[in-house]
Structure formats: structure tokens, C-alpha cells
Amino acid sequence: MGVRADQRQVRKLSAGKVVVVIPTFNERENIGILIEKVQDVFVRGEIEGSILVVDDNSPDGTAEVAGELARKYGNIKILRRRGKLGLGSAYREGFRVALRTMGAGIL
């Protein structure tokens, strides 16, 4: 069961820039699927959006897969961290980067 926004919510989001922060560790098999789905939402909802992948030095090559998609789409940034630092810190650092350097606003 997925979460769906009604049209009013989508229009409200599209009024500003949206940055989706995705923390990862060993998500090589999943990151491409997730990014493709987020990109589809951006297109269908006419949302000006970017994706920030915060990778904790995944040994499976998650950051490399995300990097390939970044070259394909142009609206994806990769934040590579030195090791497995945890989900909470990944979100905090990702939000900080999104707010300071990617033009995101606070909803």
C-alpha cells in the first residue's frame, strides 16, 4: 500500500523546489528502481525536483549506480560519506546539504 498525495498537495509541492534525500548503504539492487520512480513522480506532477543520495561508503557499489543515473538525469547529487555513520546522521547531513546548496525549502 503506497502513500498518495492528492492533486492539491502535488500542486503545492510543485510551487517550490523539492529535494528528495535518500540515505543508502548496500542498496545497489534497489537504488535504480527508487530513483526511476521518484523521477516519474517529478515528471507526472510537473515538480521541479532533485535527488540527493547520501551513501555511507557502500561496498556493493550503490554510489556508482547512483552516479550513472546522475549522469543520465542531471538532477541527482551524490554525497559520499566515509563509512557507515547511521541513518539519522545521513538524514541530518542530507537535509543540511539540500537546504544550503540545492535550493530546497522547508515544507
Side-chain angles (χ1 to χ4, degrees), residues 16-32:
K17 181 150 185 190
V18 173
V19 178
V20 176
V21 177
I22 305 174
T24 60
F25 184 78
N26 284 344
E27 295 294 337
R28 179 182 185 88
E29 299 299 318
N30 303 314
I31 193 64

Side-chain angles (χ1 to χ4, degrees), residues 41-52:
V41 169
F42 288 163
V43 171
R44 285 186 296 117
E46 298 178 7
I47 297 168
E48 179 187 354
S50 298
I51 298 171
L52 175 62

Side-chain angles (χ1 to χ4, degrees), residues 22-85:
I22 305 174
T24 60
F25 184 78
N26 284 344
E27 295 294 337
R28 179 182 185 88
E29 299 299 318
N30 303 314
I31 193 64
I33 296 165
L34 179 57
I35 287 175
E36 295 286 345
K37 289 189 180 291
V38 172
Q39 294 289 5
D40 185 51
V41 169
F42 288 163
V43 171
R44 285 186 296 117
E46 298 178 7
I47 297 168
E48 179 187 354
S50 298
I51 298 171
L52 175 62
V53 175
V54 182
D55 187 70
D56 276 3
N57 199 25
S58 295
D60 72 346
T62 299
E64 288 74 19
V65 172
E68 291 170 14
L69 291 165
R71 287 185 287 283
K72 175 181 176 181
Y73 288 108
N75 67 335
I76 301 169
K77 303 289 182 206
I78 317 297
L79 176 59
R80 296 174 188 242
R81 300 191 327 153
R82 69 181 183 279
K84 192 171 180 184
L85 302 174

Side-chain angles (χ1 to χ4, degrees), residues 92-106:
R92 284 189 303 274
E93 192 168 355
F95 293 153
R96 200 169 18 253
V97 168
L99 288 167
R100 289 185 182 161
T101 68
M102 297 180 73
I106 299 175

